[in-house]
Amino acid sequence: MPKRSENDCHLIRRYLIWCYKTTKEDLDRIDRYYTQLDVDAFLLKTLRRGKDYKRKKDEYYRGLVDDFEKYMQKKKDNVDQKKFKDEKCKELSSEYLYVKNRFDAIERAIVDFLGEEELDHICTLYEEEMTSRILAAREHS
């Protein structure tokens, strides 16, 4: 392989960061819902064990908690359709499989072109950026 100029190395790094970011965002658009469902299940269980839910007096509160479970089921049904080909959720959709395999290939390319430490660094940069976006989001009313 011919020696690359410093500029070429910078261009390759930036391109791989862009590939990582855009593909990871596509993958996360689906995968994050499954991790959210795990957290939501914990929240629902906690809410239902709480004294406010167990009280018979406040049916409105109980309804809000029960609606949360309906919301969770709707979320799961929607994301299952994006990730899987079949209703039993056994076979991944072609689109999801492509994005997943593309992301794996991008990570391998980063290691090959830039090294394992740079992959770790890019992953950290991505996580910091995503967290920053969440914390900087403003509620518009």
Side-chain angles (χ1 to χ4, degrees):
M1 201 182 316
K3 178 131 173 76
R4 292 187 177 91
S5 71
E6 186 175 342
N7 187 55
D8 286 349
C9 292
H10 290 301
L11 292 171
I12 288 169
R13 181 177 184 274
R14 286 198 314 257
Y15 177 63
L16 286 169
I17 289 172
W18 178 82
C19 288
Y20 183 96
K21 176 198 171 289
T22 58
T23 307
K24 180 80 165 118
E25 285 176 338
D26 290 344
L27 195 57
D28 283 355
R29 271 188 202 94
I30 295 173
D31 287 343
R32 71 178 177 216
Y33 287 104
Y34 292 99
T35 57
Q36 288 173 9
L37 287 167
D38 290 342
V39 174
D40 289 347
F42 178 87
L43 297 174
L44 181 64
K45 184 170 75 172
T46 302
L47 289 169
R48 285 200 168 139
R49 287 183 177 168
K51 64 180 178 181
D52 293 320
Y53 185 81
K54 291 180 179 179
R55 276 194 246 156
K56 301 289 184 206
K57 294 178 184 174
D58 194 345
E59 289 300 318
Y60 182 71
Y61 176 80
R62 291 174 61 88
L64 292 172
V65 173
D66 293 343
D67 285 347
F68 183 62
E69 183 176 26
K70 292 174 190 164
Y71 160 80
M72 290 169 55
Q73 187 57 52
K74 192 175 191 181
K75 182 193 295 191
K76 182 176 182 333
D77 292 344
N78 287 339
V79 75
D80 283 349
Q81 291 175 6
K82 292 178 183 177
K83 187 171 182 174
F84 297 102
K85 284 184 180 181
D86 58 327
E87 287 185 25
K88 294 182 180 180
C89 300
K90 300 260 186 217
E91 189 176 352
L92 295 174
S93 73
S94 299
E95 293 85 5
Y96 179 82
L97 198 55
Y98 169 75
V99 173
K100 183 181 178 318
N101 289 335
R102 177 178 162 82
F103 184 70
D104 291 344
I106 290 165
E107 286 188 317
R108 287 195 303 272
I110 291 169
V111 170
D112 189 64
F113 282 87
L114 307 173
E116 188 76 39
E117 284 183 18
E118 190 63 17
L119 174 60
D120 293 341
H121 181 68
I122 291 169
C123 180
T124 299
L125 289 173
Y126 177 83
E127 291 304 321
E128 288 171 352
E129 172 64 20
M130 294 301 108
T131 301
S132 176
R133 287 184 191 183
I134 292 166
L135 296 175
R138 302 281 185 254
E139 189 70 31
H140 300 286
S141 48

